[in-house]
Amino acid sequence: MGVEALFEPRSIAVIGASEKPGKIGYAVMKNLVEYGYEGKIYAVNVKGVEIKVGNRVFKSYKSILDVPDEVDMAVIVVPAKFVPQVVEQCGQKGVKVLPIISSGFGELGEEGKKVEEQIVETAHKYGMRILGPNIFGVVYTPKKINATFGPTDVLPGKLALVSQSGALGIALMGWTILEKVGLSALVSIGNKSDLDDADMLDYFENDDNTGAILIYMEGVKDGRKFMETAKRVSMKKPIIVIKAGRSERGAKAAASHTGSLAGSDKIYEAAFKQSGVLRAITIGEAFDWARTLSNLPEPAGENVVILTNGGGIGVMATDAAEEEGLHLYDNLEDLKVFANYMPPFGSYKNPVDLTGMAGAEGYEGAVKAALENPNMHAIAVLYCQTAVLDPRDLADIVIREYNASGRKKPLVVAIVGGIEAKEAIDRLNEEGIPAYPEPERAIKSLAALYRWSNWKNRQKKE
Amino acid sequence: MGVEALFEPRSIAVIGASEKPGKIGYAVMKNLVEYGYEGKIYAVNVKGVEIKVGNRVFKSYKSILDVPDEVDMAVIVVPAKFVPQVVEQCGQKGVKVLPIISSGFGELGEEGKKVEEQIVETAHKYGMRILGPNIFGVVYTPKKINATFGPTDVLPGKLALVSQSGALGIALMGWTILEKVGLSALVSIGNKSDLDDADMLDYFENDDNTGAILIYMEGVKDGRKFMETAKRVSMKKPIIVIKAGRSERGAKAAASHTGSLAGSDKIYEAAFKQSGVLRAITIGEAFDWARTLSNLPEPAGENVVILTNGGGIGVMATDAAEEEGLHLYDNLEDLKVFANYMPPFGSYKNPVDLTGMAGAEGYEGAVKAALENPNMHAIAVLYCQTAVLDPRDLADIVIREYNASGRKKPLVVAIVGGIEAKEAIDRLNEEGIPAYPEPERAIKSLAALYRWSNWKNRQKKE
């Protein structure tokens, strides 16, 4: 179908590759090389210039037709007016998929839209698929592909991120690097002339490298197709959507920005609910949930256990759990095990208060006990930075115990504190253990996992 | 009164000062020296050891009575059993205020509570005041005082932070450093045997260095006193409170942790509302609001203007503004000025979309125009990181224009992006211009300012 070639191409050509740093045609070459793509890379440039990236030198071909090899994916960055001709040549060459970064099409109005349609027609004639136009590219970390003009060092992980907005998409790409959100893929879908959100869902549904999908959406063209696909995919993997325009005024502003219909927000809301899609209100919330949903297994039951060294953050987490409808495990016979890991004035009632004196041994024992007990289905480990235990050591303990347990139940972490706490949080996130600087954010992310899991279970019964 | 001596002591003694790094009695000495306190510092240690901090050497006195000078504040870190005697000696010496870091009093039960009461009686006999016991100390940045065993490099600013919890308080101290929240003061009030939240409010009410007060509270002893003080102080400065235990289960957990009454949350909620106190649900929310409330002037009217380079984040901000009841300015005659700073496909309707092409000139012109127009009462500057304008340059533009305008109306900033965006946000916050990584957080913080301002205006009318 061609979509696979977007993520697993055996060779990539950049049409409009440039030798000048600062140009998009250079940035894409640079990212492909520096992110470590192991397939063949071909540069196409009408002037036939030499392109240097680090200590690699690429000769460039004047046309894709001159490339002496099969090309699976051709990234197109030439000016809009040359795109139809380039697409035709790609078809003749037998390219499979075309991410078209070039802008100046449907986003400018009716005329550009017509050109878009012609391009798609040409592509389909040759069995090619088009991503875009008007995009910033595509990333697929399992194959070390960064074919974008955004930042280079995307953190590998299990979240597939799909953005309709180019500008916000690049900004979010930077955000994932800063905030240690690991990505399997990042796809800019732009004008969606051919491939759209639903096509991406189709691919990620069966992609073992992807655990969850996050879509920044401004609007969908084919609502029914999206909904049906989303509903089917949600049975396998969680889908998170950010779609602004909830308020009347926000919807109006969105309409003038994207040309989507105002007032249709209720329809989206209902469609998301029906198809198991989790709608996040803010970017922060979306990524908070994504950390948990892309990395953790589903809980086997409703019993949540909160472990803490601070009464205050324990209470905050409990408030959040109650408000989110989570069930704190109450069986004192089982919870009593935690008494072994706390001083006499601690409390093994859930939230389990290991007290401010809790050190490495206390946390290690308590985390292990919670992981081992089959009646405890999900764990929130909270830590308020003290002099007793360096938060980075806590992070190492959690990583070790969670790995040793086989990661069979969901476990989230919250660490409140300063620089060391931030380092500990980053370390955990880099290991795919969702960690947050506030107890409520950990609990709400766990709640999002339960919301998805419960929706799935209800669907199965129906 | 003695409270002034807590923030403006001419000399400080540390009773229980230690020569051993790792000891609290050393950490307090170290922080006093390294944070740059300019008054006299005296070490008191029964063994008379020498204490080295960097290249300063302190001889220590065996008793406070041996110090050959007046002492305004004595920080006490000796074991609990020696505290009564030390307090008596401080009284004889004429010390004015005693932060007692030592623990082992009321928090252990009735017996400790009695000792606490005796200590307070002794202190009052001599006209001394007590902070604590069971605290981590006190910070007052305008006088370069860091008399805590927490982190050293507190960022100076306009927020006074008061924490009842020692553990969480130290963690929050680290958080303010990490997140660039500038503090005027940080007070650990612990067991509140003498000085309490209300006394702190009394002081900060008239402290020109403090713009807003944030209290982490587990419970109050004298509700009427707190409420009356808070209501009076709220007429001058905003007060933010974090108090966990909203849910039934959370309240129960809080009760077992702090001994406060469960089920009283509704009473707190009503009291906060009546006295103009803003209750924040999470730590993050509290500090978000605090940045804006401690640094910005009150708006002169309801008209909010949103400037953005990204349609998507403009819509998100608009959604948040509508939900928070903010009024987006609608006068197109006035808004038309922004057309001068955008390409033809931009939109000067509020939210004002300068488009993804907006660079330094566009933002500079638009920010300036918004600051100059007296009908625009509050401004939210949003920026989605693009290649056109480095977010750090945007930060510099906003700092320059806001300072040039005399900072007469509230202005908040949100920048979505990666590492450079984070640096820009930090730079703005260090300059006392509230900046956030998400549009909604900027808008909600501005809304908190409006909530406080509106409460004040209603009170004046009554």
Side-chain angles (χ1 to χ4, degrees), chain B residues 3 6 76 83-84 87 97-125 128-135 162-164 187-200 219-222 225:
Chain B
V3 181
L6 203 54
I76 299 179
V83 170
V87 171
V97 68
L98 303 178
I100 304 181
I101 288 180
S102 322
S103 59
F105 296 91
E107 78 276 16
L108 295 189
E110 279 312 311
E111 201 154 326
K113 210 163 211 159
K114 273 185 198 150
V115 182
E116 243 178 59
E117 283 163 9
Q118 287 163 9
I119 292 170
V120 172
E121 207 177 292
T122 307
H124 285 184
K125 189 176 73 186
M128 291 190 300
R129 302 303 301 263
I130 284 176
L131 183 72
N134 190 25
I135 63 171
V162 178
S163 176
Q164 185 172 355
V187 188
S188 172
I189 51 174
N191 295 1
K192 303 196 268 197
S193 68
D194 179 17
L195 294 171
D196 63 10
D197 326 70
D199 296 306
M200 295 305 118
V220 290
K221 283 180 185 170
D222 187 342
K225 178 183 167 197

Side-chain angles (χ1 to χ4, degrees), chain A residues 319-444:
Chain A
D319 280 346
E322 291 271 295
E323 282 157 8
E324 293 282 333
L326 293 187
H327 178 259
L328 295 197
Y329 191 43
D330 261 332
N331 184 318
L332 291 179
E333 272 310 301
D334 266 6
L335 291 167
K336 214 169 174 178
V337 66
F338 296 118
N340 299 324
Y341 309 107
M342 58 178 66
F345 56 93
S347 164
Y348 60 82
K349 275 185 203 162
N350 201 359
V352 178
D353 188 357
L354 303 169
T355 83
M357 290 171 68
E361 276 175 39
Y363 265 99
E364 189 176 55
V367 168
K368 205 168 184 166
L371 285 167
E372 276 170 4
N373 188 316
N375 300 326
M376 303 181 187
H377 302 123
I379 309 166
V381 179
L382 314 181
Y383 183 67
C384 176
Q385 185 171 3
T386 68
V388 183
L389 173 61
D390 188 309
R392 293 165 294 194
D393 294 336
L394 173 77
D396 291 339
I397 290 167
V398 171
I399 292 167
R400 197 172 58 235
E401 293 304 325
Y402 195 45
N403 284 340
S405 75
R407 299 194 176 214
K408 291 193 188 99
K409 54 177 89 169
L411 177 150
V412 294
V413 180
I415 304 177
V416 179
I419 315 285
E420 301 83 6
K422 171 79 173 118
E423 281 180 31
I425 289 168
D426 284 352
R427 196 176 290 183
L428 285 157
N429 281 317
E430 281 167 352
E431 292 287 331
I433 300 176
Y436 307 86
E438 296 179 74
E440 294 88 351
R441 289 172 59 186
I443 296 295
K444 285 183 179 179

